[in-house]
Amino acid sequence: MLNKIDFTQVFWRNKKALIDSRQINQAKQSIFFAFKGKQQDGHQYIPDLYRKGVRNFVLSSSGFHAMMYPGARFIQAESVLDVLQAWAKWHRSQYAQLPSIAITGSNGKTIVKEWLSVLLMDRFQVVKSPKSYNSQIGVPLSILGIEPKHTLGIFEAGISQKGEMQALQNIIQPQIGIFTNIGQAHAEGFENQEEKIREKLLLFKECDILIYTTDEAEIHEQVQQNPIFQSKTIYAWGQTEAANIPIQILEKTSQQAQIQLEWKGKSVQIELPFTAKAPVENSIHCIILLLHLGYKQRAIQEKILELREVKMRLELKEAVNESLLIDDSYNNDLAGLEIALDFMRRQHIAREKSPKTVILSDILQMDASAEVLCHKIVDLLAQHQIQKFIGIGESLHQYQSIFDWEQLQNIQFFKDTASFLAYFSPYDYLQADTLLIKGARAFQFEKIAQVLKKKLHSTVLEINMSALAHNFKYYRQQIEPTTKMMAMVKAFAYGSSNYEVANFLEYLGTDYLGVAYVDEGIALRQKGITVPIMVMNSRATDFNLLLRYRLEPVIYSFELLERLQKFVQHAALKFPFPIHIELDTGMHRLGFDRKDEDALLSILKEHQSQIRVVGIFSHLVASEDEEHLIYSLKQIQDFEQFTESLEEYLSIRPIRHILNTGGIARFGKCQFDMVRLGIGLHGIDPSGKFQSDLEAVATLKTVISQIHTLEADETVGYGRMGKVEKATKIVVLALGYADGFPRAFGNGVGKVYIKGKLCPIVGNICMDMCFADIGDLEVNVGDEAILFGEELSIQEQSEAIGTIPYEMLTNISMRVPRVFYEE
């Protein structure tokens, strides 16, 4: 049946694969693959998807009635997965000349992929696997992301049983392979370790280049025995005699390691910003590839020092009693335990006098008996001089007699997490400990982490990433499929935190990010953001940084343009410097006026080989206001005329954009090439047109610190401004103007939502506290109070003090922790 599918047909053309019914981005351009899983059947979501505009479906159910869905198109197959993989394979064939790198291994696939995408972005337009998309479904979804602009693919591939890798190899078709390491993950799917390695090596059977370490002896043995690799270029690095690229660790400090390797007869020394075994190995894989691609030692050194350890599941947090918590409550295996213990060692260097404590669950591995595993655990704990140990699980409890080593001072065992939590008192047990918790998911160690972590500022700004995704996708649906989206993340992403929001938006597929200043863009680049970034307020002194970090400046004046001309001439660039031109169509803030048109076009024409106009835009003054409709339309008309002149005179087609959040709602026919989405991401439509369809993203909440009962005419707070007219209860809230809660909310102007009731703010707002009149409401100290969120909108609160939600969000103090979550 698969051979009969013509992937050139309209059904497939310019479409995107959809596998999660909750994640509709562009309904008309989506093909929903109705997978049947153990807990979910995708077919049951087809009616809802149809109502939401999806018209293309791949399904396996023979009892489905297509006649109930007029206009919809269905492809029925025995295996939905086979169809998805066949589509991906066909799509890959359309880009047969695209070089690609494939990465496999038990650990480090995602880290190496992410690092390489950052390291190579100066030479390549990289398409890569999103997140950890390395499965039988994840790989085809990654491949379907290849576009004509891409010049390099970096894809990771993972398997859980025999017979899976061949399918992934057929889809990825890599020329370069990296085998990171081999561990115990998914051991149950193979007869033995050798079979698992042989299966993984199938990914590289058509590769010209293979990179691995001979320190992984089992991998090296299988490569040597496999005739497929005899004719390939093998970069086998390591500290063993078998390595054809010998590696030496010259020096190690608490924060850095110095390595030396032999490359084609030359000695290369690189300083690494890591010391733990895993990141050192991962970075060496990257270094070998960079050397193969012709990068010089100096360039490699600069790039490597900018790498960051990709945050996976290991988190560092403040814990009670001045302790330091290393939270790895996601999974547990021996290799992961070694990595975590090494991470613990590094954190403990500055805390030499504090006890080293480990709370560990049973290790759920298939290839060793519980007793043997316990002996291995003891060896690791003794090697890292652990002084206090708590074991949780039937196996650890059964073999507790094994746990004995010289440094051990305190040891306890529990059969399950519930028993431990019922007994454990962190304030009695911990005394400035350096504490590692590591547990298999079944043991729910996140409950232990919750008990252990230090309670920070009681006030938090919660960011609902699911709501952010909903709003992004909603606005996506309002624009044409060919219209690009620029997500504005300036001003700390409207108070939410630049990196976390930007990283999520990049995952969601934004085409551009917009920031106000160059330092915001640099921070995003340093943390691995690769999507194009426009910098709205650039200075002449920023040009070198803009160039280095691949940031695109806005040019809004002749003075700035002249300075740019001099910079590019002096820099002798090999490519035109990309810029965005800002036009002033009525805002009278920044930008070239219409009267500047002739002079501007003349300069741009003269320097077209050195300066490339990639975008041209303007600002609507009152996009959300019906009263200024005619003025807005005049702005749009002037913008269109100006851009037409520029395009004709320069013979170019830059990205044109004038619509902001309010403009998207009110001027949908004037989208041009891109729109800028800012406050709408956070669930606020200034025009009000889309408001009911958006979801609140930010919730500012605090807790009740104390409760007072006041009699009539008594006062609360500074200046005795909070006078009560009758006997009532007043609560003290852990929030003040130092947290970004304006004093204007005091004396009855603002409200707070407590236990289903809106309570007025009374008295003056203090620096760190404020007061609310709760009447006869029954509350307790520690109860939650919401200042704005879904229950009490930020729009309502803003209007009460004569300001706007933008100001409310961006004024939230940095001392207020941001908590990100997904529903």
XYZ file of all heavy atoms in Angstrom, residues 167-199:
263
model
N 14.905 1.367 10.135
C 13.895 2.317 9.666
C 14.374 3.753 9.830
O 14.179 4.598 8.944
C 12.589 2.110 10.423
N 15.038 4.041 10.941
C 15.520 5.395 11.190
C 16.669 5.748 10.248
O 16.789 6.891 9.796
C 15.959 5.544 12.650
C 14.877 5.253 13.705
C 15.394 5.594 15.093
C 13.589 6.011 13.400
N 17.526 4.774 9.945
C 18.621 5.012 9.005
C 18.074 5.348 7.617
O 18.576 6.263 6.947
C 19.526 3.774 8.933
C 20.831 3.995 8.183
C 20.678 3.877 6.673
O 19.806 3.155 6.180
N 21.507 4.608 5.928
N 17.037 4.633 7.207
C 16.434 4.882 5.897
C 15.863 6.292 5.805
O 15.828 6.890 4.725
C 15.324 3.866 5.630
C 15.866 2.473 5.357
O 17.019 2.317 4.977
N 15.037 1.463 5.573
N 15.415 6.814 6.943
C 14.795 8.146 6.952
C 15.856 9.243 7.016
O 15.822 10.213 6.264
C 13.823 8.266 8.144
C 12.674 7.263 8.001
C 13.262 9.685 8.242
C 11.821 7.134 9.241
N 16.806 9.106 7.926
C 17.810 10.158 8.123
C 18.830 10.196 6.996
O 19.234 11.249 6.528
C 18.529 9.967 9.479
C 17.525 10.048 10.637
C 19.620 11.023 9.660
C 18.128 9.732 11.998
N 19.316 9.021 6.570
C 20.325 8.905 5.523
C 21.544 9.803 5.811
O 21.885 10.690 5.033
C 19.716 9.250 4.158
C 18.561 8.342 3.779
C 17.845 8.771 2.519
O 18.432 9.438 1.668
N 16.580 8.413 2.388
N 22.209 9.555 6.942
C 23.314 10.433 7.341
C 24.619 10.139 6.609
O 24.846 9.016 6.143
C 23.455 10.133 8.829
C 23.040 8.691 8.946
C 21.940 8.504 7.929
N 25.461 11.161 6.544
C 26.807 10.984 5.999
C 27.862 10.938 7.114
O 28.944 10.407 6.934
C 27.160 12.132 5.047
C 26.370 12.139 3.757
C 24.959 12.683 3.955
O 24.771 13.713 4.601
N 23.976 11.985 3.415
N 27.535 11.543 8.259
C 28.432 11.559 9.406
C 27.698 10.971 10.601
O 26.534 11.304 10.846
C 28.905 12.990 9.735
C 29.680 13.581 8.560
C 29.757 13.021 11.004
C 30.101 15.025 8.752
N 28.384 10.111 11.341
C 27.760 9.493 12.509
C 28.563 9.738 13.771
O 29.792 9.779 13.735
N 27.843 9.922 14.883
C 28.480 10.048 16.196
C 27.814 9.044 17.135
O 26.595 9.068 17.315
C 28.342 11.469 16.767
C 29.025 12.487 15.849
C 28.943 11.542 18.168
C 28.865 13.933 16.307
N 28.620 8.169 17.714
C 28.137 7.179 18.685
C 28.669 7.654 20.042
O 29.840 7.502 20.338
C 28.685 5.798 18.323
C 27.912 4.637 18.923
C 27.808 3.437 18.243
C 27.303 4.744 20.171
C 27.101 2.362 18.780
C 26.596 3.688 20.716
C 26.496 2.490 20.020
N 27.797 8.221 20.859
C 28.254 8.882 22.088
C 28.786 7.902 23.123
O 29.886 8.060 23.647
C 27.125 9.714 22.709
O 26.000 8.851 22.996
C 26.702 10.836 21.777
N 28.012 6.875 23.439
C 28.404 5.902 24.465
C 27.379 4.773 24.486
O 26.393 4.803 23.741
C 28.506 6.565 25.851
C 27.236 7.324 26.196
O 26.137 6.820 26.054
N 27.392 8.568 26.635
N 27.587 3.815 25.354
C 26.622 2.726 25.518
C 26.386 2.510 27.005
O 27.314 2.509 27.811
C 27.097 1.425 24.833
C 25.937 0.444 24.691
C 28.301 0.833 25.537
C 24.883 0.865 23.691
N 25.123 2.388 27.372
C 24.765 2.177 28.768
C 23.694 1.116 28.892
O 23.491 0.296 27.989
N 22.966 1.153 30.000
C 22.004 0.083 30.290
C 20.573 0.409 29.875
O 19.691 -0.431 30.020
C 22.028 -0.215 31.795
C 23.403 -0.616 32.315
C 23.942 -1.841 31.608
O 23.197 -2.737 31.240
N 25.260 -1.877 31.422
N 20.331 1.608 29.379
C 18.961 1.980 29.015
C 18.418 1.037 27.945
O 19.110 0.666 26.998
C 18.941 3.416 28.504
N 17.158 0.617 28.107
C 16.447 -0.259 27.164
C 17.117 -1.616 26.991
O 16.964 -2.273 25.955
C 16.301 0.414 25.790
C 15.643 1.751 25.839
N 14.359 1.931 26.295
C 16.108 2.991 25.521
C 14.045 3.217 26.235
N 15.084 3.881 25.786
N 17.849 -2.047 28.017
C 18.520 -3.346 27.929
C 17.528 -4.482 27.739
O 17.840 -5.514 27.132
C 19.362 -3.579 29.189
N 16.298 -4.299 28.242
C 15.300 -5.359 28.160
C 14.869 -5.669 26.730
O 14.269 -6.721 26.453
C 14.066 -5.002 28.994
C 13.290 -3.778 28.510
C 13.835 -2.459 29.018
O 14.976 -2.429 29.528
O 13.125 -1.448 28.892
N 15.165 -4.746 25.786
C 14.747 -4.960 24.397
C 15.747 -5.746 23.562
O 15.513 -5.973 22.374
N 16.854 -6.176 24.183
C 17.910 -6.862 23.435
C 18.404 -8.080 24.221
O 18.314 -8.128 25.446
C 19.079 -5.903 23.176
C 18.665 -4.642 22.472
C 18.286 -3.521 23.207
C 18.624 -4.582 21.088
C 17.888 -2.360 22.569
C 18.240 -3.418 20.444
C 17.861 -2.308 21.192
N 18.942 -9.037 23.488
C 19.455 -10.239 24.140
C 20.650 -9.924 25.023
O 20.811 -10.482 26.105
C 19.840 -11.288 23.098
C 18.649 -11.905 22.386
C 19.065 -13.031 21.448
O 20.260 -13.402 21.454
O 18.194 -13.528 20.718
N 21.498 -9.017 24.547
C 22.686 -8.650 25.301
C 23.189 -7.290 24.812
O 22.629 -6.698 23.873
C 23.784 -9.710 25.183
C 24.059 -10.085 23.736
O 24.194 -9.229 22.861
N 24.123 -11.395 23.467
N 24.243 -6.810 25.431
C 24.799 -5.504 25.088
C 25.358 -5.478 23.669
O 25.242 -4.480 22.952
C 25.892 -5.141 26.102
C 26.338 -3.690 26.065
C 25.410 -2.778 26.829
O 24.197 -2.965 26.824
N 25.978 -1.800 27.503
N 25.966 -6.595 23.249
C 26.547 -6.659 21.913
C 25.473 -6.491 20.834
O 25.676 -5.795 19.842
C 27.280 -7.987 21.699
C 28.574 -8.128 22.494
C 28.328 -8.403 23.978
O 27.199 -8.817 24.331
O 29.259 -8.189 24.774
N 24.326 -7.126 21.060
C 23.243 -7.007 20.087
C 22.748 -5.564 20.008
O 22.465 -5.052 18.920
C 22.081 -7.931 20.460
C 20.941 -7.878 19.455
C 19.790 -8.787 19.833
O 19.045 -8.440 20.785
O 19.638 -9.840 19.184
N 22.669 -4.897 21.159
C 22.209 -3.510 21.173
C 23.183 -2.613 20.405
O 22.757 -1.736 19.641
C 22.036 -3.021 22.610
C 21.471 -1.600 22.688
C 20.957 -1.247 24.067
C 22.050 -1.141 25.088
N 21.562 -0.541 26.358
N 24.483 -2.820 20.589
C 25.479 -2.012 19.883
C 25.398 -2.261 18.380
O 25.436 -1.319 17.581
C 26.890 -2.319 20.415
C 27.011 -1.861 21.876
C 27.948 -1.613 19.560
C 28.293 -2.310 22.547
N 25.279 -3.537 18.001
C 25.186 -3.851 16.575
C 23.960 -3.185 15.947
O 24.024 -2.674 14.823
C 25.122 -5.368 16.365
C 26.451 -6.087 16.572
C 26.413 -7.489 16.006
N 25.425 -8.325 16.669
C 25.653 -9.065 17.760
N 26.873 -9.055 18.303
N 24.712 -9.808 18.299
N 22.864 -3.186 16.675
C 21.644 -2.551 16.169
C 21.837 -1.042 16.009
O 21.446 -0.462 14.994
C 20.480 -2.835 17.131
C 19.151 -2.218 16.716
C 18.497 -2.897 15.532
O 18.910 -4.017 15.180
O 17.583 -2.288 14.944
